Amino acid sequence: EVQLLESGGGLVQPGGSLRLSCAASGFTFSSYAMSWVRQAPGKGLEWVSAISGSGGSTYYADSVKGRFTISRDNSKNTLYLQMNSLRAEDTAVYYCAKDGLAVAGILLGYDYWGQGTLVTVSS
Amino acid sequence: QSVLTQPPSASGTPGQRVTISCSGSSSNIGSNTVNWYQQLPGTAPKLLIYSNNQRPSGVPDRFSGSKSGTSASLAISGLQSEDEADYYCAAWDDSLSVVFGGGTKLTVL
């Protein structure tokens, strides 16, 4: 059974940093691209970042480029999102999602999602 | 403002057929495939349709997708009360990003 379990969310002050983790199980982690998708309270889905199965290709939304870094450790079956210079508008539930392809420069579809972890940026 | 445009709401009565539209551009829907997601209240999104019109295993055939040019549609036939949810379209954009629609809240009357 495929499982994605996010952790690392919490309350952080503006300008602060946070690292999210997503522990994956039930599939060959290195064979699939992964993404982070967020949802602000009461709002729609917003794609944040994607990484290929090998970790060699990464992509970012303009809203987080230069502040967030996506990475993965295929030996630990874990996806990460390092978030720096956090702003109030980064407040959201952050989901990790598995794509159906190994490459990240295209989207087949996110066939599995984690339960999400809440990040609140506030003083 | 979302790159893909969806109507904010839709509604139908049980048994009815409803469609939800998703409008994009040549850089996303026009040149890449479309996904559709269903999000029930308080839960993570669920993939309904991939590659414009393919259903993952376990998704009822009441759900169908189509694409024409720079627009796509999700159709739900035989509407049921449990279909009441938010629906999102998504596609890869040639600007090297994934774009989502703003979401459509479906109400079953």
Side-chain angles (χ1 to χ4, degrees), chain A residues 4-74:
Chain A
L4 299 172
L5 186 62
E6 301 98 336
S7 61
L11 175 63
V12 61
Q13 292 189 337
S17 298
L18 215 53
R19 188 177 85 154
L20 305 183
S21 299
C22 172
S25 61
F27 65 102
T28 305
F29 183 65
S30 60
S31 293
Y32 296 95
M34 299 291 294
S35 284
W36 289 96
V37 177
R38 67 185 180 184
Q39 187 169 34
K43 302 297 184 182
L45 301 175
E46 179 188 14
W47 175 79
V48 173
S49 183
I51 187 168
S52 61
S54 67
S57 298
T58 57
Y59 303 88
Y60 297 93
D62 287 343
S63 58
V64 306
K65 202 171 293 183
R67 300 187 300 123
F68 290 11
T69 302
I70 191 171
S71 62
R72 63 193 297 160
D73 186 336
N74 286 344

Side-chain angles (χ1 to χ4, degrees), chain A residues 35 37 39 43-48 50 59-62 65 95 99 104-116, chain B residues 2 32-35 37 39 42-47 49-51 86 88 90-92 95-103:
Chain A
S35 284
V37 177
Q39 187 169 34
K43 302 297 184 182
L45 301 175
E46 179 188 14
W47 175 79
V48 173
Y59 303 88
Y60 297 93
D62 287 343
K65 202 171 293 183
Y95 296 101
D99 195 357
I106 192 169
L107 176 65
L108 180 63
Y110 297 126
D111 51 3
Y112 291 94
W113 297 66
Q115 85 290 347
Chain B
S2 302
N32 297 289
T33 60
V34 178
N35 312 146
Y37 300 89
Q39 187 176 33
T43 69
K46 169 189 172 183
L47 181 64
I49 298 289
Y50 67 96
S51 295
D86 293 326
Y88 295 90
W92 180 257
S95 65
L96 304 183
S97 65
V98 173
V99 290
F100 279 93

Side-chain angles (χ1 to χ4, degrees), chain B residues 7-26:
Chain B
S9 64
S11 63
T13 56
Q16 201 172 25
R17 182 178 187 271
V18 298
T19 61
I20 297 171
S21 62
C22 176
S23 178
S25 68
S26 58

